[in-house]
Amino acid sequence: QVRLVESGGGLVKSGGSLRLSCAVSGFSLIDYYFSWIRQAPGKGLEWVAYISTNAAYTDYADSVRGRYTISRDNSKNLLYLQMNDLRADDTAVYFCARDRLYFAGLDVWGQGTTVTVSS
Amino acid sequence: DIHMTQSPSSLSASVGDRVTITCRASQAISVYLAWFQQRPGKAPRPLIYGASSLHSGVPSRFSGGGSGTEFTLTISRLQPEDFATYYCQQYNNYPRTFGQGTRLEI
C-alpha cells in the first residue's frame, strides 16, 4: 500500500527549530520528486518546497527560503524538512506529497503533522 | 509565480445538484492543472490531474476540463460526501501554486 507518514511536529518557541520527517512505504523514494505543502489554521494550501530524485535540485517558497531546508535519505526511504528561525506565521499543518511532475502532479499525500510556533 | 484564482469562493447546493467550479491561471499552463478535495481535518485528496484525468478510485461524477488559463471542475449528482473544500493547483512549473479554495456547502 502506497503511504506517506509525517512526524516531528510539535510546539516550539519563536526563533526555534524543528525537523519534520516523512516516511515512505509501498514504493521506493528514490524514483520520485517530493514536495512539502502547509496549511495554516483556517487557511488554504501553500506549497513550501520540493526536492528532485537525487537531491540535485531543490526550491522553496519565498516565505521560507533561507530558513527551511528540504532533504532526503533514499536508503532509509525518508524525506525531511529542517525548519529554522521559526515564526508565528509558520504555524500550520505540514503535508509531504509525492510529485509525479507532468505525469500526474502531487498524487499521494501524507496525513500531515502540526507545527505550532508560540511567540 | 503563477497566480491561481477560483470562483466562486463558496457555493451552496443540494444533494443531486450539478455544480461547476472555475479556476483561472494568470498565465498559460497547458493542461498541468490538478484538483483536490479536502474535508475538515483531513489531508487533501487528489481528484483530477492533467486537467481532465481522474485519479484511481475517484467517482465518475467528477469531471474536469479546460486548458491554457481556464479550467473547470464539475460534480454531477452531488452526494452527501461531496460537501467539502476544493482546490485547484498548477504544476506547470515551480513554485506550485494553489487556488484559494471553494467551499461547497449544503
Side-chain angles (χ1 to χ4, degrees), chain A residues 33 39 43-45 47 50 95 99 101-107 109-110, chain B residues 32 36 38 42-44 46 49 55 87 89 91-92 94-96 98:
Chain A
Y33 281 45
Q39 186 170 38
K43 302 297 184 182
L45 299 168
W47 175 84
Y50 92 91
F95 301 97
D99 191 341
L101 308 179
Y102 293 123
F103 299 102
L106 300 172
D107 71 331
W109 291 59
Chain B
Y32 300 117
F36 299 90
Q38 188 178 35
K42 300 295 185 182
Y49 65 96
H55 280 284
Y87 294 93
Q89 179 244 329
Y91 57 99
N92 185 64
Y94 291 103
R96 307 297 199 221
F98 293 86

PDB file of all heavy atoms in Angstrom, chain A residues 33 39 43-45 47 50 95 99 101-107 109-110, chain B residues 32 36 38 42-44 46 49 55 87 89 91-92 94-96 98:
ATOM      1  N   TYR A  33      10.245  12.755  -7.218  1.00  0.00           N
ATOM      2  CA  TYR A  33      10.351  14.056  -6.583  1.00  0.00           C
ATOM      3  C   TYR A  33       9.334  14.104  -5.438  1.00  0.00           C
ATOM      4  O   TYR A  33       8.324  13.385  -5.457  1.00  0.00           O
ATOM      5  CB  TYR A  33       9.977  15.162  -7.578  1.00  0.00           C
ATOM      6  CG  TYR A  33      11.026  15.564  -8.585  1.00  0.00           C
ATOM      7  CD1 TYR A  33      11.773  14.626  -9.280  1.00  0.00           C
ATOM      8  CD2 TYR A  33      11.227  16.901  -8.875  1.00  0.00           C
ATOM      9  CE1 TYR A  33      12.709  15.013 -10.223  1.00  0.00           C
ATOM     10  CE2 TYR A  33      12.153  17.315  -9.828  1.00  0.00           C
ATOM     11  CZ  TYR A  33      12.888  16.352 -10.491  1.00  0.00           C
ATOM     12  OH  TYR A  33      13.801  16.758 -11.434  1.00  0.00           O
ATOM     13  N   GLN A  39      -0.581  24.207   5.560  1.00  0.00           N
ATOM     14  CA  GLN A  39      -1.903  24.816   5.647  1.00  0.00           C
ATOM     15  C   GLN A  39      -2.051  25.443   7.026  1.00  0.00           C
ATOM     16  O   GLN A  39      -2.144  24.725   8.023  1.00  0.00           O
ATOM     17  CB  GLN A  39      -2.995  23.779   5.402  1.00  0.00           C
ATOM     18  CG  GLN A  39      -4.391  24.363   5.324  1.00  0.00           C
ATOM     19  CD  GLN A  39      -5.399  23.335   4.832  1.00  0.00           C
ATOM     20  OE1 GLN A  39      -5.319  22.158   5.177  1.00  0.00           O
ATOM     21  NE2 GLN A  39      -6.360  23.778   4.026  1.00  0.00           N
ATOM     22  N   LYS A  43      -6.892  28.357   6.776  1.00  0.00           N
ATOM     23  CA  LYS A  43      -6.423  28.939   5.510  1.00  0.00           C
ATOM     24  C   LYS A  43      -6.297  27.884   4.419  1.00  0.00           C
ATOM     25  O   LYS A  43      -6.560  26.706   4.638  1.00  0.00           O
ATOM     26  CB  LYS A  43      -5.070  29.628   5.718  1.00  0.00           C
ATOM     27  CG  LYS A  43      -5.083  30.716   6.774  1.00  0.00           C
ATOM     28  CD  LYS A  43      -6.007  31.854   6.401  1.00  0.00           C
ATOM     29  CE  LYS A  43      -5.933  32.979   7.423  1.00  0.00           C
ATOM     30  NZ  LYS A  43      -6.871  34.097   7.105  1.00  0.00           N
ATOM     31  N   GLY A  44      -5.862  28.327   3.246  1.00  0.00           N
ATOM     32  CA  GLY A  44      -5.696  27.426   2.117  1.00  0.00           C
ATOM     33  C   GLY A  44      -4.340  26.749   2.112  1.00  0.00           C
ATOM     34  O   GLY A  44      -3.563  26.833   3.066  1.00  0.00           O
ATOM     35  N   LEU A  45      -4.067  26.052   1.014  1.00  0.00           N
ATOM     36  CA  LEU A  45      -2.843  25.279   0.867  1.00  0.00           C
ATOM     37  C   LEU A  45      -1.729  26.148   0.307  1.00  0.00           C
ATOM     38  O   LEU A  45      -1.936  26.927  -0.629  1.00  0.00           O
ATOM     39  CB  LEU A  45      -3.101  24.093  -0.062  1.00  0.00           C
ATOM     40  CG  LEU A  45      -4.166  23.111   0.430  1.00  0.00           C
ATOM     41  CD1 LEU A  45      -4.552  22.142  -0.680  1.00  0.00           C
ATOM     42  CD2 LEU A  45      -3.657  22.340   1.647  1.00  0.00           C
ATOM     43  N   TRP A  47       2.259  25.714  -1.074  1.00  0.00           N
ATOM     44  CA  TRP A  47       3.429  24.890  -1.394  1.00  0.00           C
ATOM     45  C   TRP A  47       4.649  25.492  -0.709  1.00  0.00           C
ATOM     46  O   TRP A  47       4.832  26.725  -0.713  1.00  0.00           O
ATOM     47  CB  TRP A  47       3.610  24.833  -2.904  1.00  0.00           C
ATOM     48  CG  TRP A  47       4.836  24.125  -3.331  1.00  0.00           C
ATOM     49  CD1 TRP A  47       5.016  22.786  -3.492  1.00  0.00           C
ATOM     50  CD2 TRP A  47       6.096  24.730  -3.632  1.00  0.00           C
ATOM     51  NE1 TRP A  47       6.302  22.528  -3.886  1.00  0.00           N
ATOM     52  CE2 TRP A  47       6.988  23.704  -3.976  1.00  0.00           C
ATOM     53  CE3 TRP A  47       6.566  26.049  -3.644  1.00  0.00           C
ATOM     54  CZ2 TRP A  47       8.312  23.937  -4.328  1.00  0.00           C
ATOM     55  CZ3 TRP A  47       7.873  26.289  -4.003  1.00  0.00           C
ATOM     56  CH2 TRP A  47       8.733  25.242  -4.335  1.00  0.00           C
ATOM     57  N   TYR A  50      10.370  21.719  -2.770  1.00  0.00           N
ATOM     58  CA  TYR A  50      10.439  20.450  -3.495  1.00  0.00           C
ATOM     59  C   TYR A  50      11.882  19.983  -3.536  1.00  0.00           C
ATOM     60  O   TYR A  50      12.818  20.768  -3.349  1.00  0.00           O
ATOM     61  CB  TYR A  50       9.857  20.573  -4.902  1.00  0.00           C
ATOM     62  CG  TYR A  50      10.888  20.926  -5.975  1.00  0.00           C
ATOM     63  CD1 TYR A  50      11.557  19.919  -6.680  1.00  0.00           C
ATOM     64  CD2 TYR A  50      11.168  22.248  -6.297  1.00  0.00           C
ATOM     65  CE1 TYR A  50      12.487  20.241  -7.666  1.00  0.00           C
ATOM     66  CE2 TYR A  50      12.094  22.571  -7.272  1.00  0.00           C
ATOM     67  CZ  TYR A  50      12.752  21.572  -7.960  1.00  0.00           C
ATOM     68  OH  TYR A  50      13.672  21.891  -8.938  1.00  0.00           O
ATOM     69  N   PHE A  95       2.216  18.925   5.190  1.00  0.00           N
ATOM     70  CA  PHE A  95       1.993  17.687   4.457  1.00  0.00           C
ATOM     71  C   PHE A  95       3.185  17.417   3.546  1.00  0.00           C
ATOM     72  O   PHE A  95       3.713  18.347   2.914  1.00  0.00           O
ATOM     73  CB  PHE A  95       0.756  17.796   3.559  1.00  0.00           C
ATOM     74  CG  PHE A  95      -0.532  18.091   4.260  1.00  0.00           C
ATOM     75  CD1 PHE A  95      -1.022  19.395   4.336  1.00  0.00           C
ATOM     76  CD2 PHE A  95      -1.280  17.073   4.821  1.00  0.00           C
ATOM     77  CE1 PHE A  95      -2.219  19.682   4.970  1.00  0.00           C
ATOM     78  CE2 PHE A  95      -2.484  17.347   5.447  1.00  0.00           C
ATOM     79  CZ  PHE A  95      -2.954  18.642   5.529  1.00  0.00           C
ATOM     80  N   ASP A  99       5.491  13.849  -5.871  1.00  0.00           N
ATOM     81  CA  ASP A  99       5.297  14.729  -7.025  1.00  0.00           C
ATOM     82  C   ASP A  99       5.693  13.979  -8.288  1.00  0.00           C
ATOM     83  O   ASP A  99       6.870  13.724  -8.533  1.00  0.00           O
ATOM     84  CB  ASP A  99       6.149  16.003  -6.863  1.00  0.00           C
ATOM     85  CG  ASP A  99       5.793  17.076  -7.884  1.00  0.00           C
ATOM     86  OD1 ASP A  99       5.180  16.743  -8.917  1.00  0.00           O
ATOM     87  OD2 ASP A  99       6.131  18.246  -7.660  1.00  0.00           O
ATOM     88  N   LEU A 101       5.370  15.110 -11.192  1.00  0.00           N
ATOM     89  CA  LEU A 101       5.665  16.099 -12.223  1.00  0.00           C
ATOM     90  C   LEU A 101       4.564  16.134 -13.291  1.00  0.00           C
ATOM     91  O   LEU A 101       3.383  16.109 -12.951  1.00  0.00           O
ATOM     92  CB  LEU A 101       7.045  15.820 -12.825  1.00  0.00           C
ATOM     93  CG  LEU A 101       8.185  15.685 -11.805  1.00  0.00           C
ATOM     94  CD1 LEU A 101       9.493  15.377 -12.494  1.00  0.00           C
ATOM     95  CD2 LEU A 101       8.310  16.932 -10.966  1.00  0.00           C
ATOM     96  N   TYR A 102       4.959  16.195 -14.551  1.00  0.00           N
ATOM     97  CA  TYR A 102       3.964  16.342 -15.609  1.00  0.00           C
ATOM     98  C   TYR A 102       3.080  15.113 -15.780  1.00  0.00           C
ATOM     99  O   TYR A 102       2.043  15.173 -16.434  1.00  0.00           O
ATOM    100  CB  TYR A 102       4.635  16.662 -16.947  1.00  0.00           C
ATOM    101  CG  TYR A 102       5.291  18.016 -16.969  1.00  0.00           C
ATOM    102  CD1 TYR A 102       6.640  18.163 -17.257  1.00  0.00           C
ATOM    103  CD2 TYR A 102       4.550  19.167 -16.699  1.00  0.00           C
ATOM    104  CE1 TYR A 102       7.243  19.413 -17.272  1.00  0.00           C
ATOM    105  CE2 TYR A 102       5.150  20.427 -16.715  1.00  0.00           C
ATOM    106  CZ  TYR A 102       6.502  20.536 -17.005  1.00  0.00           C
ATOM    107  OH  TYR A 102       7.092  21.778 -17.030  1.00  0.00           O
ATOM    108  N   PHE A 103       3.468  13.992 -15.188  1.00  0.00           N
ATOM    109  CA  PHE A 103       2.684  12.769 -15.368  1.00  0.00           C
ATOM    110  C   PHE A 103       1.377  12.816 -14.591  1.00  0.00           C
ATOM    111  O   PHE A 103       0.341  12.439 -15.099  1.00  0.00           O
ATOM    112  CB  PHE A 103       3.510  11.553 -14.944  1.00  0.00           C
ATOM    113  CG  PHE A 103       4.756  11.380 -15.751  1.00  0.00           C
ATOM    114  CD1 PHE A 103       5.987  11.747 -15.242  1.00  0.00           C
ATOM    115  CD2 PHE A 103       4.701  10.850 -17.032  1.00  0.00           C
ATOM    116  CE1 PHE A 103       7.141  11.609 -15.995  1.00  0.00           C
ATOM    117  CE2 PHE A 103       5.855  10.706 -17.794  1.00  0.00           C
ATOM    118  CZ  PHE A 103       7.071  11.091 -17.272  1.00  0.00           C
ATOM    119  N   ALA A 104       1.432  13.276 -13.342  1.00  0.00           N
ATOM    120  CA  ALA A 104       0.217  13.265 -12.519  1.00  0.00           C
ATOM    121  C   ALA A 104       0.246  14.233 -11.355  1.00  0.00           C
ATOM    122  O   ALA A 104      -0.620  14.182 -10.491  1.00  0.00           O
ATOM    123  CB  ALA A 104      -0.059  11.861 -12.000  1.00  0.00           C
ATOM    124  N   GLY A 105       1.248  15.097 -11.290  1.00  0.00           N
ATOM    125  CA  GLY A 105       1.300  16.082 -10.214  1.00  0.00           C
ATOM    126  C   GLY A 105       1.470  15.446  -8.836  1.00  0.00           C
ATOM    127  O   GLY A 105       2.061  14.398  -8.684  1.00  0.00           O
ATOM    128  N   LEU A 106       0.896  16.091  -7.833  1.00  0.00           N
ATOM    129  CA  LEU A 106       1.001  15.644  -6.440  1.00  0.00           C
ATOM    130  C   LEU A 106      -0.037  14.555  -6.225  1.00  0.00           C
ATOM    131  O   LEU A 106      -1.193  14.842  -5.903  1.00  0.00           O
ATOM    132  CB  LEU A 106       0.775  16.821  -5.498  1.00  0.00           C
ATOM    133  CG  LEU A 106       1.757  17.982  -5.642  1.00  0.00           C
ATOM    134  CD1 LEU A 106       1.311  19.175  -4.796  1.00  0.00           C
ATOM    135  CD2 LEU A 106       3.157  17.549  -5.225  1.00  0.00           C
ATOM    136  N   ASP A 107       0.354  13.293  -6.367  1.00  0.00           N
ATOM    137  CA  ASP A 107      -0.646  12.228  -6.435  1.00  0.00           C
ATOM    138  C   ASP A 107      -0.822  11.432  -5.158  1.00  0.00           C
ATOM    139  O   ASP A 107      -1.781  10.676  -5.046  1.00  0.00           O
ATOM    140  CB  ASP A 107      -0.349  11.291  -7.604  1.00  0.00           C
ATOM    141  CG  ASP A 107       0.877  10.428  -7.384  1.00  0.00           C
ATOM    142  OD1 ASP A 107       1.794  10.865  -6.657  1.00  0.00           O
ATOM    143  OD2 ASP A 107       0.919   9.314  -7.943  1.00  0.00           O
ATOM    144  N   TRP A 109      -0.476  11.914  -0.790  1.00  0.00           N
ATOM    145  CA  TRP A 109      -0.245  12.848   0.311  1.00  0.00           C
ATOM    146  C   TRP A 109      -0.213  12.088   1.636  1.00  0.00           C
ATOM    147  O   TRP A 109      -0.917  11.092   1.811  1.00  0.00           O
ATOM    148  CB  TRP A 109      -1.372  13.882   0.392  1.00  0.00           C
ATOM    149  CG  TRP A 109      -1.419  14.852  -0.737  1.00  0.00           C
ATOM    150  CD1 TRP A 109      -1.566  14.571  -2.071  1.00  0.00           C
ATOM    151  CD2 TRP A 109      -1.362  16.279  -0.640  1.00  0.00           C
ATOM    152  NE1 TRP A 109      -1.595  15.738  -2.807  1.00  0.00           N
ATOM    153  CE2 TRP A 109      -1.477  16.795  -1.955  1.00  0.00           C
ATOM    154  CE3 TRP A 109      -1.240  17.165   0.419  1.00  0.00           C
ATOM    155  CZ2 TRP A 109      -1.450  18.172  -2.221  1.00  0.00           C
ATOM    156  CZ3 TRP A 109      -1.221  18.533   0.154  1.00  0.00           C
ATOM    157  CH2 TRP A 109      -1.324  19.023  -1.162  1.00  0.00           C
ATOM    158  N   GLY A 110       0.579  12.614   2.572  1.00  0.00           N
ATOM    159  CA  GLY A 110       0.516  12.121   3.923  1.00  0.00           C
ATOM    160  C   GLY A 110      -0.651  12.748   4.679  1.00  0.00           C
ATOM    161  O   GLY A 110      -1.362  13.603   4.139  1.00  0.00           O
TER     162      GLY A 110
ATOM    163  N   TYR B  32      -1.603  21.300 -17.251  1.00  0.00           N
ATOM    164  CA  TYR B  32      -0.974  20.878 -15.995  1.00  0.00           C
ATOM    165  C   TYR B  32      -1.697  21.483 -14.798  1.00  0.00           C
ATOM    166  O   TYR B  32      -1.173  22.326 -14.050  1.00  0.00           O
ATOM    167  CB  TYR B  32       0.506  21.211 -16.028  1.00  0.00           C
ATOM    168  CG  TYR B  32       1.198  20.506 -17.177  1.00  0.00           C
ATOM    169  CD1 TYR B  32       1.802  21.214 -18.206  1.00  0.00           C
ATOM    170  CD2 TYR B  32       1.177  19.107 -17.263  1.00  0.00           C
ATOM    171  CE1 TYR B  32       2.394  20.562 -19.266  1.00  0.00           C
ATOM    172  CE2 TYR B  32       1.760  18.445 -18.334  1.00  0.00           C
ATOM    173  CZ  TYR B  32       2.363  19.181 -19.323  1.00  0.00           C
ATOM    174  OH  TYR B  32       2.935  18.535 -20.383  1.00  0.00           O
ATOM    175  N   PHE B  36      -8.126  19.048  -6.061  1.00  0.00           N
ATOM    176  CA  PHE B  36      -8.097  18.312  -4.803  1.00  0.00           C
ATOM    177  C   PHE B  36      -9.378  18.585  -4.015  1.00  0.00           C
ATOM    178  O   PHE B  36      -9.928  19.680  -4.077  1.00  0.00           O
ATOM    179  CB  PHE B  36      -6.900  18.743  -3.939  1.00  0.00           C
ATOM    180  CG  PHE B  36      -5.574  18.504  -4.592  1.00  0.00           C
ATOM    181  CD1 PHE B  36      -4.989  19.478  -5.377  1.00  0.00           C
ATOM    182  CD2 PHE B  36      -4.910  17.298  -4.417  1.00  0.00           C
ATOM    183  CE1 PHE B  36      -3.769  19.268  -5.992  1.00  0.00           C
ATOM    184  CE2 PHE B  36      -3.683  17.077  -5.033  1.00  0.00           C
ATOM    185  CZ  PHE B  36      -3.111  18.060  -5.818  1.00  0.00           C
ATOM    186  N   GLN B  38     -10.819  18.478  -0.043  1.00  0.00           N
ATOM    187  CA  GLN B  38     -10.373  18.400   1.344  1.00  0.00           C
ATOM    188  C   GLN B  38     -11.560  18.509   2.294  1.00  0.00           C
ATOM    189  O   GLN B  38     -12.312  19.483   2.247  1.00  0.00           O
ATOM    190  CB  GLN B  38      -9.353  19.495   1.674  1.00  0.00           C
ATOM    191  CG  GLN B  38      -8.724  19.318   3.048  1.00  0.00           C
ATOM    192  CD  GLN B  38      -7.682  20.369   3.360  1.00  0.00           C
ATOM    193  OE1 GLN B  38      -7.800  21.525   2.959  1.00  0.00           O
ATOM    194  NE2 GLN B  38      -6.642  19.960   4.086  1.00  0.00           N
ATOM    195  N   LYS B  42      -8.744  16.695   7.420  1.00  0.00           N
ATOM    196  CA  LYS B  42      -8.154  15.644   6.607  1.00  0.00           C
ATOM    197  C   LYS B  42      -7.142  16.214   5.618  1.00  0.00           C
ATOM    198  O   LYS B  42      -7.135  17.411   5.339  1.00  0.00           O
ATOM    199  CB  LYS B  42      -9.242  14.890   5.842  1.00  0.00           C
ATOM    200  CG  LYS B  42     -10.273  14.223   6.728  1.00  0.00           C
ATOM    201  CD  LYS B  42      -9.663  13.128   7.574  1.00  0.00           C
ATOM    202  CE  LYS B  42     -10.714  12.374   8.359  1.00  0.00           C
ATOM    203  NZ  LYS B  42     -10.117  11.314   9.226  1.00  0.00           N
ATOM    204  N   ALA B  43      -6.310  15.340   5.073  1.00  0.00           N
ATOM    205  CA  ALA B  43      -5.384  15.736   4.019  1.00  0.00           C
ATOM    206  C   ALA B  43      -6.138  15.924   2.710  1.00  0.00           C
ATOM    207  O   ALA B  43      -7.203  15.323   2.497  1.00  0.00           O
ATOM    208  CB  ALA B  43      -4.313  14.673   3.850  1.00  0.00           C
ATOM    209  N   PRO B  44      -5.611  16.761   1.840  1.00  0.00           N
ATOM    210  CA  PRO B  44      -6.217  16.880   0.507  1.00  0.00           C
ATOM    211  C   PRO B  44      -6.211  15.531  -0.198  1.00  0.00           C
ATOM    212  O   PRO B  44      -5.247  14.764  -0.098  1.00  0.00           O
ATOM    213  CB  PRO B  44      -5.301  17.887  -0.196  1.00  0.00           C
ATOM    214  CG  PRO B  44      -4.701  18.685   0.906  1.00  0.00           C
ATOM    215  CD  PRO B  44      -4.490  17.702   2.019  1.00  0.00           C
ATOM    216  N   PRO B  46      -6.331  13.874  -3.897  1.00  0.00           N
ATOM    217  CA  PRO B  46      -6.230  14.160  -5.336  1.00  0.00           C
ATOM    218  C   PRO B  46      -7.447  13.630  -6.087  1.00  0.00           C
ATOM    219  O   PRO B  46      -7.830  12.470  -5.908  1.00  0.00           O
ATOM    220  CB  PRO B  46      -4.953  13.432  -5.750  1.00  0.00           C
ATOM    221  CG  PRO B  46      -4.187  13.240  -4.475  1.00  0.00           C
ATOM    222  CD  PRO B  46      -5.224  13.018  -3.431  1.00  0.00           C
ATOM    223  N   TYR B  49      -5.981  15.115 -12.450  1.00  0.00           N
ATOM    224  CA  TYR B  49      -4.709  15.621 -12.921  1.00  0.00           C
ATOM    225  C   TYR B  49      -4.790  15.788 -14.441  1.00  0.00           C
ATOM    226  O   TYR B  49      -5.705  15.263 -15.073  1.00  0.00           O
ATOM    227  CB  TYR B  49      -3.557  14.684 -12.532  1.00  0.00           C
ATOM    228  CG  TYR B  49      -3.621  13.325 -13.194  1.00  0.00           C
ATOM    229  CD1 TYR B  49      -2.910  13.046 -14.357  1.00  0.00           C
ATOM    230  CD2 TYR B  49      -4.420  12.316 -12.654  1.00  0.00           C
ATOM    231  CE1 TYR B  49      -2.987  11.806 -14.957  1.00  0.00           C
ATOM    232  CE2 TYR B  49      -4.494  11.076 -13.248  1.00  0.00           C
ATOM    233  CZ  TYR B  49      -3.779  10.823 -14.400  1.00  0.00           C
ATOM    234  OH  TYR B  49      -3.861   9.596 -15.001  1.00  0.00           O
ATOM    235  N   HIS B  55      -7.984  10.482 -10.951  1.00  0.00           N
ATOM    236  CA  HIS B  55      -7.144   9.549 -10.217  1.00  0.00           C
ATOM    237  C   HIS B  55      -7.930   8.270  -9.947  1.00  0.00           C
ATOM    238  O   HIS B  55      -9.177   8.264  -9.941  1.00  0.00           O
ATOM    239  CB  HIS B  55      -6.680  10.167  -8.903  1.00  0.00           C
ATOM    240  CG  HIS B  55      -5.527  11.114  -9.045  1.00  0.00           C
ATOM    241  ND1 HIS B  55      -4.223  10.689  -9.248  1.00  0.00           N
ATOM    242  CD2 HIS B  55      -5.468  12.455  -9.024  1.00  0.00           C
ATOM    243  CE1 HIS B  55      -3.422  11.735  -9.326  1.00  0.00           C
ATOM    244  NE2 HIS B  55      -4.158  12.836  -9.203  1.00  0.00           N
ATOM    245  N   TYR B  87      -9.748  22.581  -4.167  1.00  0.00           N
ATOM    246  CA  TYR B  87      -8.634  23.429  -4.562  1.00  0.00           C
ATOM    247  C   TYR B  87      -8.136  23.032  -5.954  1.00  0.00           C
ATOM    248  O   TYR B  87      -8.023  21.835  -6.245  1.00  0.00           O
ATOM    249  CB  TYR B  87      -7.450  23.273  -3.601  1.00  0.00           C
ATOM    250  CG  TYR B  87      -7.687  23.761  -2.205  1.00  0.00           C
ATOM    251  CD1 TYR B  87      -8.145  22.894  -1.214  1.00  0.00           C
ATOM    252  CD2 TYR B  87      -7.434  25.085  -1.855  1.00  0.00           C
ATOM    253  CE1 TYR B  87      -8.363  23.338   0.078  1.00  0.00           C
ATOM    254  CE2 TYR B  87      -7.648  25.540  -0.564  1.00  0.00           C
ATOM    255  CZ  TYR B  87      -8.110  24.657   0.398  1.00  0.00           C
ATOM    256  OH  TYR B  87      -8.322  25.116   1.694  1.00  0.00           O
ATOM    257  N   GLN B  89      -4.730  23.503  -8.532  1.00  0.00           N
ATOM    258  CA  GLN B  89      -3.286  23.698  -8.361  1.00  0.00           C
ATOM    259  C   GLN B  89      -2.597  23.500  -9.698  1.00  0.00           C
ATOM    260  O   GLN B  89      -2.894  22.533 -10.410  1.00  0.00           O
ATOM    261  CB  GLN B  89      -2.732  22.707  -7.340  1.00  0.00           C
ATOM    262  CG  GLN B  89      -1.230  22.796  -7.087  1.00  0.00           C
ATOM    263  CD  GLN B  89      -0.495  21.559  -7.500  1.00  0.00           C
ATOM    264  OE1 GLN B  89      -1.021  20.449  -7.456  1.00  0.00           O
ATOM    265  NE2 GLN B  89       0.736  21.706  -7.900  1.00  0.00           N
ATOM    266  N   TYR B  91       0.769  22.679 -11.919  1.00  0.00           N
ATOM    267  CA  TYR B  91       2.065  22.042 -11.804  1.00  0.00           C
ATOM    268  C   TYR B  91       2.838  22.163 -13.117  1.00  0.00           C
ATOM    269  O   TYR B  91       3.612  21.283 -13.500  1.00  0.00           O
ATOM    270  CB  TYR B  91       1.958  20.592 -11.315  1.00  0.00           C
ATOM    271  CG  TYR B  91       1.092  19.662 -12.132  1.00  0.00           C
ATOM    272  CD1 TYR B  91       1.650  18.795 -13.068  1.00  0.00           C
ATOM    273  CD2 TYR B  91      -0.289  19.602 -11.930  1.00  0.00           C
ATOM    274  CE1 TYR B  91       0.867  17.911 -13.788  1.00  0.00           C
ATOM    275  CE2 TYR B  91      -1.081  18.723 -12.643  1.00  0.00           C
ATOM    276  CZ  TYR B  91      -0.499  17.885 -13.573  1.00  0.00           C
ATOM    277  OH  TYR B  91      -1.286  17.005 -14.285  1.00  0.00           O
ATOM    278  N   ASN B  92       2.611  23.270 -13.780  1.00  0.00           N
ATOM    279  CA  ASN B  92       3.382  23.550 -14.993  1.00  0.00           C
ATOM    280  C   ASN B  92       4.818  23.923 -14.641  1.00  0.00           C
ATOM    281  O   ASN B  92       5.745  23.642 -15.410  1.00  0.00           O
ATOM    282  CB  ASN B  92       2.720  24.690 -15.779  1.00  0.00           C
ATOM    283  CG  ASN B  92       3.387  24.949 -17.112  1.00  0.00           C
ATOM    284  OD1 ASN B  92       3.380  24.100 -17.997  1.00  0.00           O
ATOM    285  ND2 ASN B  92       3.983  26.120 -17.267  1.00  0.00           N
ATOM    286  N   TYR B  94       7.538  25.362 -10.990  1.00  0.00           N
ATOM    287  CA  TYR B  94       7.686  25.723  -9.584  1.00  0.00           C
ATOM    288  C   TYR B  94       7.799  27.246  -9.488  1.00  0.00           C
ATOM    289  O   TYR B  94       8.357  27.872 -10.397  1.00  0.00           O
ATOM    290  CB  TYR B  94       8.931  25.076  -8.992  1.00  0.00           C
ATOM    291  CG  TYR B  94       8.845  23.583  -8.857  1.00  0.00           C
ATOM    292  CD1 TYR B  94       9.484  22.740  -9.756  1.00  0.00           C
ATOM    293  CD2 TYR B  94       8.092  22.992  -7.825  1.00  0.00           C
ATOM    294  CE1 TYR B  94       9.400  21.363  -9.629  1.00  0.00           C
ATOM    295  CE2 TYR B  94       8.012  21.618  -7.707  1.00  0.00           C
ATOM    296  CZ  TYR B  94       8.660  20.809  -8.603  1.00  0.00           C
ATOM    297  OH  TYR B  94       8.566  19.453  -8.488  1.00  0.00           O
ATOM    298  N   PRO B  95       7.278  27.846  -8.423  1.00  0.00           N
ATOM    299  CA  PRO B  95       6.588  27.190  -7.310  1.00  0.00           C
ATOM    300  C   PRO B  95       5.198  26.703  -7.697  1.00  0.00           C
ATOM    301  O   PRO B  95       4.484  27.361  -8.436  1.00  0.00           O
ATOM    302  CB  PRO B  95       6.493  28.292  -6.261  1.00  0.00           C
ATOM    303  CG  PRO B  95       6.435  29.554  -7.076  1.00  0.00           C
ATOM    304  CD  PRO B  95       7.333  29.307  -8.257  1.00  0.00           C
ATOM    305  N   ARG B  96       4.861  25.485  -7.232  1.00  0.00           N
ATOM    306  CA  ARG B  96       3.488  25.029  -7.382  1.00  0.00           C
ATOM    307  C   ARG B  96       2.584  26.035  -6.686  1.00  0.00           C
ATOM    308  O   ARG B  96       2.917  26.513  -5.597  1.00  0.00           O
ATOM    309  CB  ARG B  96       3.291  23.669  -6.723  1.00  0.00           C
ATOM    310  CG  ARG B  96       4.284  22.571  -7.159  1.00  0.00           C
ATOM    311  CD  ARG B  96       4.177  22.254  -8.594  1.00  0.00           C
ATOM    312  NE  ARG B  96       4.758  20.959  -8.951  1.00  0.00           N
ATOM    313  CZ  ARG B  96       5.461  20.748 -10.020  1.00  0.00           C
ATOM    314  NH1 ARG B  96       5.716  21.733 -10.857  1.00  0.00           N
ATOM    315  NH2 ARG B  96       5.917  19.531 -10.287  1.00  0.00           N
ATOM    316  N   PHE B  98      -1.577  27.122  -5.599  1.00  0.00           N
ATOM    317  CA  PHE B  98      -2.943  26.662  -5.410  1.00  0.00           C
ATOM    318  C   PHE B  98      -3.916  27.824  -5.534  1.00  0.00           C
ATOM    319  O   PHE B  98      -3.585  28.981  -5.219  1.00  0.00           O
ATOM    320  CB  PHE B  98      -3.123  26.077  -4.012  1.00  0.00           C
ATOM    321  CG  PHE B  98      -2.363  24.802  -3.759  1.00  0.00           C
ATOM    322  CD1 PHE B  98      -1.048  24.840  -3.340  1.00  0.00           C
ATOM    323  CD2 PHE B  98      -2.982  23.565  -3.935  1.00  0.00           C
ATOM    324  CE1 PHE B  98      -0.344  23.668  -3.098  1.00  0.00           C
ATOM    325  CE2 PHE B  98      -2.287  22.392  -3.696  1.00  0.00           C
ATOM    326  CZ  PHE B  98      -0.969  22.444  -3.279  1.00  0.00           C
TER     327      PHE B  98
END
